Amino acid sequence: MAWGRRRAVVRPGEPSGSVSASPRPAQPPPPCGGMPRAAAAAAAYVLGVDVGSLTLRCHVYDKTAAVRGASSKKVETLHPHLGWVELDPEVLWTQVTDVIKEAVQAAGLQMNQIAGLGISTQRGTFITWNKKTGKPFHNFISWQDQRAAELVNSWNRSLILKAIHVISTMIYFLTWSDRYLAASSLTFTTQHVSLRLSWVLQNISEVQEAANENNCCFGTIDTWLLYKLTKGSVYATDYSNASSTGVFEPFQMCWSSVLSKLFSIPMSIYPPVEDTNHSFGSVDAEIFGVPIPIMALVADQQAAMFGECCFHAGDVKLTMGTGIFWDVNTGNHLHTPRAGLYPLVGWKIGKEVVFLAEGNASDAGSPIKWANELDLFTSVDETSRMARSVVDSEGVCFVPSFSGLQVPVNDPYACASFMGLKPSTTRNHLIRAILESIAFSADGGVSNNSFIMQMTSDLLNKKIDKPINTDTSCLGAAFLAGLALGFWTDKEQLKKLRRTEIVFEPERDSGEYKLAMDNWIKAVQRSLNWYRQTSY
């Protein structure tokens, strides 16, 4: 989505699994080790892998950034208890290797024609494993997982946090340092790795024992995949992924010793942090038959930002997948948390560090997926027609809160709900209420849904520029890897590769949505704190 110089991308609903091939379309940083430039030129394709929350995909890109081959699989999540969300590490590993092989095969290529690989991953989903054996202590714990909700609430109500707020405020007025201004409003959420990792250490004795013996590795998905792809020879993460954990100090660009001490997390379990595009080593030759340089690790929202070419301060991106993520490029200025936005490292390339300000909501694609599983519609394309077939939702409101509500509400106990149902309510009214809730909660929409995109344009009173390639996390990972390899020259070349599919322009005054918006806000208020009242 774009207005003025600002751009955003919206991720569409994701397929459960597919393999496809496309027809062949008619001063850079030096390579950070790995493959020489001559070899990179001979190997004329770059892979972008994206491990999302719903879908895992791999795209093969040529030098025009066209997708030559692709493969995708549905990410399989486990729900062993109410509120728990996990991923089986061995299943995920098999899926990653499979989509890479299938995408290269779909492109009609051999592995030795691949110059390098960039990996984008969902953030905040982590695992711990035995440093000596490489065996995981538990499944991946997803960023959507709510098991640490009570711990989060306890910390947010604690006297320790109140003392931190007071002391940080006093120091801020003495120093005017943004670092202390940020600490003065510090709060925790279940999306932060910090308290979920603390929960693991408190409740899985094997992990605590290994940590005490300096035999425990911690990693988000990028770290674990790197470890597996290199058969245990490389253990690292990048700044974008580290900054998304909640235990990284963005002002000092290192793991936070203060938060780690507060939560009793040993500093020894954290991986080294490297530049976003960096020679992370090569895939072990036994896995794909040839060594493939791993040239980029990047968090998925930061990857989407890079893939959408939001390189300038003020550029804006909106991604709509399982969750909703709104990111603003703040350049080399670290945003101090306010108005529900929090600071992140976008990417670090050599001396260049780009920061982002981000806000998010957990549920966007998941309500649509849920409605499909209930047979409220047969295809995503049908939902726009259904929503337009009625004048309005007839007062029906939907609250998309399968994983709680995030900023600015921050209530892990909020429930998903329909309100305002009547005997005259039809499937069309329900679908319209779901689509409206996504637009209201994010000021944005799903790119393949023209109803939401048009409504978003109306609400913002801005033009929305939808790119042809909406899988921008894959593309961003490939762009970062390609720059490190010299496959692409610089960011200016990347910007020329971006293409627009359609531009949505405002058609209705945003005031026409006021009544529906007011009712929806009322519905949100009535959904708060639901599960705490019902023994969540």
Side-chain angles (χ1 to χ4, degrees):
M1 175 168 63
W3 52 91
R5 252 185 65 194
R6 301 180 177 182
R7 298 189 183 92
V9 63
V10 189
R11 180 178 292 171
E14 299 171 315
S16 61
S18 63
V19 179
S20 61
S22 300
R24 293 173 173 80
Q27 277 300 336
C32 304
M35 182 175 291
R37 286 192 189 280
Y45 306 93
V46 171
L47 298 183
V49 173
D50 176 36
V51 183
S53 300
L54 289 177
T55 303
L56 188 161
R57 55 170 60 85
C58 176
H59 287 177
V60 181
Y61 296 97
D62 63 18
K63 289 197 173 183
T64 69
V67 178
R68 289 285 301 276
S71 177
S72 64
K73 294 185 183 297
K74 179 182 177 181
V75 173
E76 299 179 15
T77 53
L78 307 172
H79 303 271
H81 302 286
L82 181 64
W84 291 29
V85 186
E86 299 180 351
L87 285 71
D88 185 315
E90 293 308 317
V91 170
L92 184 65
W93 167 244
T94 299
Q95 288 183 318
V96 168
T97 55
D98 283 350
V99 294
I100 292 174
K101 292 173 184 176
E102 291 167 3
V104 174
Q105 184 178 13
L109 303 173
Q110 301 297 319
M111 286 293 180
N112 60 9
Q113 293 177 270
I114 304 303
L117 166 68
I119 301 173
S120 158
T121 55
Q122 57 176 278
R123 306 170 310 179
T125 296
F126 74 91
I127 195 170
T128 62
W129 66 94
N130 187 296
K131 186 182 295 185
K132 296 175 182 176
T133 66
K135 181 181 177 181
F137 291 120
H138 52 83
N139 286 336
F140 277 105
I141 298 176
S142 168
W143 62 277
Q144 298 173 297
D145 190 279
Q146 298 290 316
R147 73 187 67 192
E150 279 298 333
L151 195 58
V152 168
N153 286 334
S154 175
W155 269 102
N156 284 337
R157 296 192 304 263
S158 69
L159 292 177
I160 293 176
L161 188 60
K162 289 181 173 62
I164 290 173
H165 289 168
V166 171
I167 293 170
S168 297
T169 300
M170 294 172 62
I171 296 176
Y172 170 70
F173 282 117
L174 292 173
T175 64
W176 296 104
S177 168
D178 283 348
R179 181 185 178 196
Y180 296 104
L181 178 60
S184 70
S185 59
L186 177 67
T187 57
F188 305 111
T189 76
T190 55
Q191 289 188 0
H192 290 153
V193 165
S194 52
L195 284 168
R196 281 182 288 125
L197 178 55
S198 179
W199 184 97
V200 166
L201 289 164
Q202 291 176 27
N203 290 275
I204 304 178
S205 58
E206 193 178 8
V207 178
Q208 184 64 68
E209 290 169 8
N212 293 340
E213 297 168 1
N214 195 24
N215 188 35
C216 180
C217 290
F218 155 84
T220 43
I221 291 179
D222 60 300
T223 301
W224 186 78
L225 285 179
L226 178 65
Y227 185 85
K228 292 283 285 185
L229 287 167
T230 60
K231 290 200 170 179
S233 66
V234 184
Y235 177 54
T237 188
D238 94 295
Y239 285 94
S240 68
N241 278 291
S243 74
S244 305
T245 62
V247 282
F248 187 82
E249 170 54 83
F251 289 92
Q252 296 185 316
M253 296 291 282
C254 63
W255 296 109
S256 172
S257 58
V258 174
L259 290 177
S260 297
K261 183 172 290 187
L262 275 179
F263 302 140
S264 301
I265 301 172
M267 293 289 289
S268 61
I269 73 172
Y270 298 127
V273 186
E274 304 288 355
D275 283 7
T276 305
N277 69 344
H278 169 79
S279 181
F280 287 95
S282 293
V283 179
D284 190 280
E286 291 185 4
I287 297 175
F288 299 123
V290 295
I292 299 175
I294 303 169
M295 302 305 293
L297 297 181
V298 59
D300 57 359
Q301 299 310 315
Q302 289 92 320
M305 194 83 170
F306 202 90
E308 182 61 9
C309 300
C310 292
F311 300 140
H312 303 289
D315 285 353
V316 179
K317 170 199 70 70
L318 177 68
T319 295
M320 187 82 68
T322 306
I324 301 164
F325 296 89
W326 172 276
D327 294 274
V328 182
N329 184 325
T330 59
N332 59 7
H333 173 70
L334 188 60
H335 169 81
T336 304
R338 62 173 66 92
L341 297 179
Y342 46 86
L344 293 172
V345 177
W347 52 83
K348 183 177 184 297
I349 303 174
K351 294 182 179 180
E352 179 197 35
V353 180
V354 171
F355 294 103
L356 308 180
E358 181 179 273
N360 81 88
S362 289
D363 293 302
S366 48
I368 295 175
K369 178 174 177 286
W370 169 78
N372 181 232
E373 291 173 348
L374 290 183
D375 294 326
L376 291 181
F377 61 88
T378 55
S379 70
V380 174
D381 294 339
E382 183 186 6
T383 59
S384 291
R385 179 190 59 76
M386 293 174 69
R388 288 194 173 98
S389 70
V390 291
V391 176
D392 53 38
S393 68
E394 204 181 46
V396 176
C397 296
F398 177 72
V399 180
S401 179
F402 290 113
S403 303
L405 290 172
Q406 285 68 51
V407 292
V409 178
N410 289 325
D411 182 4
Y413 298 106
C415 67
S417 60
F418 274 113
M419 296 191 188
L421 297 175
K422 308 172 184 66
S424 58
T425 299
T426 66
R427 287 193 308 159
N428 294 341
H429 293 118
L430 297 179
I431 292 300
R432 181 165 181 131
I434 290 173
L435 300 187
E436 286 183 347
S437 75
I438 295 171
F440 289 150
S441 61
D443 286 337
V446 179
S447 66
N448 279 352
N449 190 295
S450 60
F451 175 83
I452 296 182
M453 294 297 285
Q454 185 57 61
M455 184 174 173
T456 302
S457 178
D458 295 341
L459 287 169
L460 295 174
N461 194 32
K462 301 291 182 182
K463 293 181 180 180
I464 297 178
D465 184 333
K466 176 191 170 186
I468 289 176
N469 188 341
T470 54
D471 291 327
T472 47
S473 290
C474 258
L475 183 60
F479 274 172
L480 285 158
L483 285 178
L485 289 161
F487 189 82
W488 288 295
T489 306
D490 52 30
K491 292 176 185 173
E492 290 304 311
Q493 182 185 7
L494 299 183
K495 288 196 289 188
K496 293 175 183 177
L497 298 176
R498 184 187 185 277
R499 299 178 183 87
T500 296
E501 177 183 327
I502 186 172
V503 175
F504 292 87
E505 298 191 22
E507 293 180 353
R508 298 174 59 184
D509 185 86
S510 60
E512 295 182 39
Y513 296 98
K514 185 178 186 305
L515 179 60
M517 173 76 89
D518 289 345
N519 285 337
W520 181 77
I521 292 173
K522 190 192 307 181
V524 169
Q525 293 300 317
R526 294 183 178 180
S527 297
L528 299 180
N529 205 31
W530 180 269
Y531 289 113
R532 182 180 294 172
Q533 298 170 8
T534 55
S535 301
Y536 173 72

